[in-house]
Amino acid sequence: MAADSDDGATSAPAISDGTEWAWGQEEFAEPGEHSYLVQVFNLTLLCMEEYVIEPKSVQFLVQHGFDFNRQYAQGIPYHKGNDKGDESQSQSVRTLFLELIRARRPLILHNGLIDLVFLYQNFYAHLPESLGTFTADLCEMFPAGIYDTKYAAEFHARFVASYLEYAFRKCERENGKQRAAGSPHLLLEFCSYPSSMRAHIDYRCCMPPAIHRPHSTSVCDNFSAYGWCPLGSQCPRSHDIDLIIDTDEAAMEDKRRRRRRREKRRRALLRLPGKQTSGEAEDGPPMKQVCGDGLKPQDEQEVAEDETSNQPSSEQGHKNDLEMGLKATRPETADMATLEVPGSQASPNPVPGDGLHRAGFDAFMTGYVMAYVGVNQGPQPCSSGPWLPECHNKVYLSGKAVPLTVAKSQFSRSSKAHNQKMKLAWGSS
């Protein structure tokens, strides 16, 4: 299960914003295929207590299709803190959240620390006073584990960028390559809904381009690195994710090529046998240069070495190699079979705003990234250990080189409110 929410709104089938996203059980249709049944459920919620909103956040939500009129007219009410009266016996969001806990499924989020706080405070109980108590409660609430796709993309898959749209498109492209090569790959199946539900279903196109499209503009550095630009749609530079990935892949290939040349020269001087280039493996995740930061000293040295050791004519050849790399990195054919929506199922109610950042689609992308990372990990040993132990119970922390580990310390105890909820969930007296 993957969860995502926007400004306190989470949603009911077909009404956007704030979602619960569900994977079906993994199946193996053919050798190398890891098939999942996918359903996205939207629940539009309405907080019944006073809260503060930011104008820029509201503008962002409206631009991406959120309907505030629908939220205030039809939103399912909820409140913060502990249960009130016999609320747990009624059909409410808290009852649904308790069912998710009873399911004992992994919880998958993207950059999910704030999401965890939101879910706990609004659908479960008052927040504990200490972080240790909070993580101890989370361990018991989700015994199958909590997984953060931003941590998985940055520290496990080692993508150059780890914002959600980049990670999703990168996984989607790599999955297409693996499928074409006959390697283990991810295959998605979607439910076939009856025509009576057509008005309540919103389809979003997420198909990657099948062929290379030339771009006359350069990539926006801010958007390329963070998935966000202060100029928004007014930015003169490109925010196209595929162009950004093409540029990153070409730059990485160019860097590897220069390293190989430098290592070859070093071996020739020292007459050493060929071996793996030093520096191919790095301790931390790859980093992007952003907003004119310039080259690092090491990069400057590498460029200087290449310029002094190569013939003048090689500079143009180096540029041509980079341009050819840009064209070669975009696959000629994409993995469309898993993501196409039949024409007869096109959404009858187009949603305003052309952005991808809507809670339902964000939740879908989050689940896709985690499923791809799991497939790419290879077969797991038969044991009672957690799924993907490298990412198990590790939540991304912005600006930190280490994640928040969700674990119960021997020095911390679960909160009283949590213990009461556990008794309610499992019917204990």
Side-chain angles (χ1 to χ4, degrees):
M1 177 192 70
D4 198 358
S5 62
D6 283 321
D7 281 15
T10 32
S11 2
I15 302 177
S16 308
D17 255 76
T19 67
E20 293 298 331
W21 180 91
W23 287 108
Q25 185 168 354
E26 181 179 9
E27 299 177 355
F28 300 92
E30 295 181 8
E33 273 189 3
H34 298 253
S35 179
Y36 286 91
L37 179 65
V38 181
Q39 287 182 281
V40 181
F41 301 94
N42 289 324
L43 303 173
T44 297
L45 306 183
L46 180 63
C47 182
M48 301 309 293
E49 301 175 8
E50 292 185 357
Y51 57 91
V52 178
I53 58 175
E54 298 178 357
K56 289 185 177 180
S57 297
V58 173
Q59 290 175 347
F60 177 86
L61 292 174
V62 171
Q63 289 171 1
H64 290 269
F66 186 74
D67 188 345
F68 282 95
N69 288 331
R70 176 174 287 181
Q71 180 193 23
Y72 283 96
Q74 303 176 8
I76 303 172
Y78 73 92
H79 65 86
K80 300 178 182 180
N82 297 333
D83 294 343
K84 295 181 179 179
D86 59 349
E87 184 177 22
S88 59
Q89 305 300 324
S90 60
Q91 292 187 347
S92 65
V93 182
R94 288 174 176 258
T95 306
L96 174 60
F97 189 68
L98 211 58
E99 288 299 320
L100 298 178
I101 293 175
R102 290 190 182 108
R104 292 181 175 269
R105 299 294 184 184
L107 177 66
I108 302 172
L109 315 103
H110 184 83
N111 200 11
L113 179 58
I114 295 179
D115 294 325
L116 289 171
V117 172
F118 177 87
L119 291 172
Y120 191 107
Q121 184 181 30
N122 291 280
F123 308 142
Y124 195 66
H126 281 305
L127 284 172
E129 295 183 357
S130 69
L131 177 62
T133 303
F134 180 58
T135 55
D137 290 355
L138 290 175
C139 281
E140 295 183 357
M141 292 166 64
F142 301 103
I146 296 172
Y147 295 85
D148 193 321
T149 53
K150 187 170 179 67
Y151 174 82
E154 189 164 319
F155 290 93
H156 183 67
R158 297 179 56 79
F159 292 161
V160 176
S162 58
Y163 55 91
L164 183 55
E165 191 176 354
Y166 184 102
F168 166 71
R169 188 67 89 198
K170 178 73 173 177
C171 291
E172 192 180 34
R173 289 163 53 122
E174 294 300 316
N175 189 65
K177 295 176 185 177
Q178 291 176 199
R179 182 179 184 181
S183 302
H185 60 276
L186 182 65
L187 184 67
L188 303 187
E189 298 179 7
F190 297 88
C191 292
S192 179
Y193 297 100
S195 58
S196 59
M197 295 183 61
R198 193 68 50 81
H200 303 288
I201 300 174
D202 175 28
Y203 291 97
R204 305 293 291 183
C205 178
C206 59
M207 296 184 296
I211 58 173
H212 174 74
R213 296 175 298 159
H215 292 265
S216 58
T217 58
S218 59
V219 167
C220 171
D221 291 336
N222 263 318
F223 193 89
S224 174
Y226 306 117
W228 176 85
C229 173
L231 300 179
S233 59
Q234 304 301 318
C235 181
R237 296 189 174 187
S238 176
H239 292 179
D240 184 88
I241 292 295
D242 288 286
L243 177 61
I244 291 171
I245 296 177
D246 287 343
T247 304
D248 290 343
E249 290 179 349
M252 291 292 289
E253 179 58 32
D254 177 64
K255 189 174 182 180
R256 284 192 290 266
R257 189 182 299 114
R258 287 191 284 116
R259 280 178 172 171
R260 288 194 294 265
R261 288 202 298 263
R262 189 172 66 254
E263 185 68 12
K264 186 177 180 180
R265 291 195 300 271
R266 189 183 70 86
R267 290 198 304 267
L269 290 173
L270 300 178
R271 296 183 179 180
L272 297 175
K275 60 181 180 179
Q276 183 180 1
T277 303
S278 59
E280 285 293 331
E282 300 175 0
D283 293 335
M287 300 298 293
K288 275 193 177 184
Q289 296 292 338
V290 186
C291 302
D293 289 341
L295 295 175
K296 294 181 179 179
Q298 180 182 357
D299 295 331
E300 291 175 349
Q301 183 179 358
E302 291 175 0
V303 173
E305 289 177 358
D306 286 337
E307 290 177 349
T308 56
S309 61
N310 295 328
Q311 296 296 327
S313 61
S314 66
E315 182 177 351
Q316 183 63 32
H318 173 73
K319 180 179 179 181
N320 292 338
D321 288 344
L322 184 61
E323 291 175 352
M324 291 177 64
L326 270 172
K327 295 180 180 179
T329 50
R330 188 185 296 271
E332 291 298 322
T333 58
D335 182 17
M336 294 292 96
T338 62
L339 295 174
E340 287 182 351
V341 175
S344 61
Q345 292 184 352
S347 177
N349 301 318
V351 180
D354 57 355
L356 289 179
H357 284 293
R358 301 178 61 229
F361 196 72
D362 281 1
F364 168 76
M365 291 191 290
T366 301
Y368 188 97
V369 171
M370 202 68 239
Y372 172 80
V373 171
V375 169
N376 205 43
Q377 175 74 9
Q380 298 293 310
C382 296
S383 67
S384 58
W387 177 66
L388 284 179
E390 296 85 354
C391 303
H392 180 259
N393 281 351
K394 295 178 180 177
V395 179
Y396 184 87
L397 294 177
S398 298
K400 302 294 183 181
V402 294
L404 169 66
T405 301
V406 180
K408 185 173 183 178
S409 168
Q410 59 180 339
F411 303 106
S412 62
R413 296 181 179 179
S414 299
S415 66
K416 182 178 179 180
H418 164 74
N419 290 332
Q420 292 175 347
K421 294 288 287 191
M422 286 291 98
K423 292 178 182 178
L424 180 64
W426 305 113
S428 302
S429 59

